[in-house]
Amino acid sequence: ETGVTQTPRHLVMGMTNKKSLKCEQHLGHNAMYWYKQSAKKPLELMFVYSLEERVENNSVPSRFSPECPNSSHLFLHLHTLQPEDSALYLCASSTGTGIRDEQYFGPGTRLTVT
Amino acid sequence: AQKITQTQPGMFVQEKEAVTLDCTYDTSDPSYGLFWYKQPSSGEMIFLIYQGSYDQQNATEGRYSLNFQKARKSANLVISASQLGDSAMYFCAMRGLTTDSWGKLQFGAGTQVVVTP
């Protein structure tokens, strides 16, 4: 059983909708991440948070807005998306310390933009 | 800059056989970590094994072992005694161990493994 949960698991939204993806980790970790996985492309890191502070934003369009209210929860707010934003969005967490610091992933939200 | 290359888009392997998944990398970081993840059709990325660039010995975790050749910049994953449940996408990833590289896990394109009875 994974210590990282994501809701919803599937989401279909129109280009003018506003929706939010939720991620919760039960591992006591201090760092959380959002990734985008498109078909035929490697995973792309979108955002990194450490102790609720954003430390990395990989030039993600402003129609994606992250929020990290505490170290256990991470949101990705979506608005006016494009069809090319359809993808699997994965959340991950890690201790944020140590050399190894492996990331643990949730099951993802499959997003379809129509 | 970092780059991960997985040249095998897909592989078939018979149950109980061993399979080697290739991964080469390029980085300017003096120290780095290499990771392998498994992604079944359910979508979740499952951490399998870690190798630090400074480690003298190849990493092993159960049926997974990493053939690390630093001079060749390769970190191939070996799965021994394949099981049907091993059918999944496998990703090689790398992260520099400097402060600037913290959190920036870079993934390869992945290799789809299908285990047949």
Side-chain angles (χ1 to χ4, degrees), chain A residues 101-114:
Chain A
D101 196 29
E102 67 267 29
Q103 296 177 19
Y104 291 86
F105 285 77
T109 294
R110 176 72 62 185
L111 173 68
T112 304
V113 181
T114 60

Side-chain angles (χ1 to χ4, degrees), chain B residues 58-113:
Chain B
N58 287 343
T60 59
E61 290 282 354
R63 293 187 298 111
Y64 304 108
S65 61
L66 211 150
N67 183 2
F68 180 48
Q69 298 186 51
K70 192 172 182 178
R72 290 187 166 187
K73 294 190 175 179
S74 74
N76 298 340
L77 177 71
V78 180
I79 307 174
S80 62
S82 296
Q83 302 172 356
L84 296 178
D86 293 335
S87 294
M89 195 77 166
Y90 288 81
F91 291 93
C92 180
M94 180 176 67
R95 179 172 62 82
L97 299 180
T98 62
T99 304
D100 287 345
S101 299
W102 181 84
K104 300 176 187 177
L105 199 56
Q106 184 103 13
F107 284 82
T111 296
Q112 180 71 51
V113 172

